[in-house]
Amino acid sequence: MKSIKILMAITLLLSFTACNAQIKNAKTESVKIYGNCGMCESTIETAGNIKKVAQVDWNKDTKMATLTYDPSKTNQDEILKRIALAGYDSDQFLAPDDVYAQLPECCQYERVKKSETAKSVTIADHSMHNHNTMTDKTTETKQEVNQLKAVFDNYFALKDALVASDGNLASAKAKELLNALNAVQMNKLSNEEHTVWMKVIKDLKFDTEHIEETKDVGHQRDHFNTLSDNMYQLLKVSKQETPTYYQHCPMANNGKGANWLSKENAVKNPYYGSQMLTCGKTVETIE
């Protein structure tokens, strides 16, 4: 029995060594990833692995994963985001609720409420950077901005439709906004964006779907109120090329007040349209 254990240990060691040999400049880290069983292990490792770039070895008993990766091509955050998209939480990233809900029953681990802290990306050896790497990262940053830009642009178009009190147009713009929300690739979001995205995406889609489903401007404006609050949270952590104005109308929402985002400093009230077009003021400029 003892000899069998020794043989298994040697096999594991050789496998780990072989993995490191395939990955250049291998960096190894240990992180906690939540899961239950052997099926979880297979899913987590498949999601995290990239041939010759990243290798994940997860232990179902300790819930600890060993990440081995080439830091010139990826990092811990990117690996954990892929694993989150497969349904598994870590202390850094939460899986989308709908993805978690689709896991097999045996894999639905007990979820623990995490803090909203986001870990900064670290690269161990800056000497590994070269011109091409910097170019790649610049391109990636532009992609991140662009995909959320589509979300914000469609929100502004929806706002303009409500300013015009055009329920048909607002419904059409809400459909385009919903398409933009569904097109966002979570693994391209920054840490801060990802954290907020996980908090608000369910409500963003809920309000957008309700605005799309009706032509009743009053009902659309009810949902635009909460849609704007969640959109504000997302925009606050996103990089923007031009200022955005956060505006407030004290009369809207049955006198409780309501907010919205605008690309113009001049107030054009989406809750009243031409009835009280300039009611409200800019309360914050987001740059």
Side-chain angles (χ1 to χ4, degrees):
M1 186 66 179
K2 184 177 180 181
S3 60
I4 293 176
K5 290 183 177 179
I6 293 174
L7 181 60
M8 291 176 63
I10 293 173
T11 301
L12 287 173
L13 178 61
L14 289 175
S15 298
F16 185 73
T17 303
C19 166
N20 280 346
Q22 292 175 355
I23 298 176
K24 294 181 179 178
N25 308 314
K27 180 179 180 180
T28 300
E29 296 175 328
S30 294
V31 296
K32 189 169 187 177
I33 298 173
Y34 296 83
N36 286 335
C37 60
M39 190 179 296
C40 297
E41 180 179 5
S42 177
T43 304
I44 289 169
E45 293 181 353
T46 299
N49 291 348
I50 297 179
K51 189 177 181 180
K52 297 184 179 180
V53 174
Q55 184 77 26
V56 178
D57 182 18
W58 183 73
N59 187 307
K60 67 179 181 180
D61 297 321
T62 64
K63 317 301 180 193
M64 295 301 294
T66 301
L67 311 183
T68 305
Y69 59 90
D70 181 346
S72 68
K73 296 183 178 178
T74 189
N75 54 56
Q76 181 187 118
D77 285 357
E78 289 184 358
I79 296 170
L80 293 179
K81 285 179 182 178
R82 290 200 302 273
I83 293 171
L85 288 172
Y88 292 90
D89 294 345
S90 63
D91 288 331
Q92 289 85 352
F93 299 101
L94 299 180
D97 290 341
D98 56 340
V99 176
Y100 170 83
Q102 293 175 10
L103 291 177
E105 186 175 351
C106 64
C107 297
Q108 292 192 354
Y109 53 92
E110 183 177 355
R111 305 188 83 179
V112 180
K113 186 176 181 180
K114 313 296 191 307
S115 68
E116 297 178 4
T117 55
K119 187 179 180 189
S120 300
V121 176
T122 57
I123 297 177
D125 186 355
H126 293 278
S127 66
M128 295 173 185
H129 285 212
N130 55 36
H131 179 72
N132 291 335
T133 302
M134 294 300 290
T135 301
D136 291 344
K137 289 188 177 298
T138 301
T139 302
E140 182 178 349
T141 300
K142 288 181 178 177
Q143 289 172 345
E144 290 169 1
V145 172
N146 287 341
Q147 64 173 314
L148 281 181
K149 184 177 183 300
V151 170
F152 298 133
D153 285 348
N154 282 288
Y155 165 86
F156 294 128
L158 170 59
K159 185 266 297 179
D160 291 341
L162 293 175
V163 170
S165 301
D166 188 334
N168 289 324
L169 183 59
S171 175
K173 295 302 180 184
K175 183 177 182 179
E176 293 176 11
L177 173 57
L178 190 60
N179 290 337
L181 289 169
N182 288 328
V184 170
Q185 295 177 283
M186 280 176 40
N187 61 339
K188 297 294 184 183
L189 299 177
S190 69
N191 293 336
E192 285 185 307
E193 289 168 343
H194 183 275
T195 300
V196 176
W197 179 263
M198 296 307 302
K199 285 177 54 182
V200 303
I201 182 56
K202 185 176 180 180
D203 290 335
L204 284 176
K205 288 185 177 180
F206 175 83
D207 287 317
T208 305
E209 287 169 351
H210 276 264
I211 294 172
E212 182 200 358
E213 289 170 358
T214 182
K215 307 296 189 294
D216 181 339
V217 176
H219 189 59
Q220 290 173 332
R221 285 169 171 156
D222 289 340
H223 284 281
F224 187 72
N225 181 14
T226 48
L227 176 73
S228 296
D229 289 343
N230 287 311
M231 199 66 74
Y232 167 77
Q233 294 185 52
L234 188 60
L235 190 137
K236 284 278 286 182
V237 296
S238 300
K239 299 172 183 175
Q240 299 298 309
E241 295 178 354
T242 57
T244 300
Y245 302 95
Y246 194 44
Q247 299 175 326
H248 176 78
C249 171
M251 302 291 291
N253 192 23
N254 296 320
K256 298 175 185 175
N259 303 317
W260 70 94
L261 295 161
S262 176
K263 296 302 294 181
E264 303 168 324
N265 194 17
V267 170
K268 293 182 180 178
N269 193 313
Y271 296 103
Y272 288 104
S274 60
Q275 290 182 328
M276 289 192 289
L277 184 62
T278 59
C279 179
K281 64 180 181 180
T282 297
V283 294
E284 182 179 352
T285 300
I286 305 168
E287 297 179 316

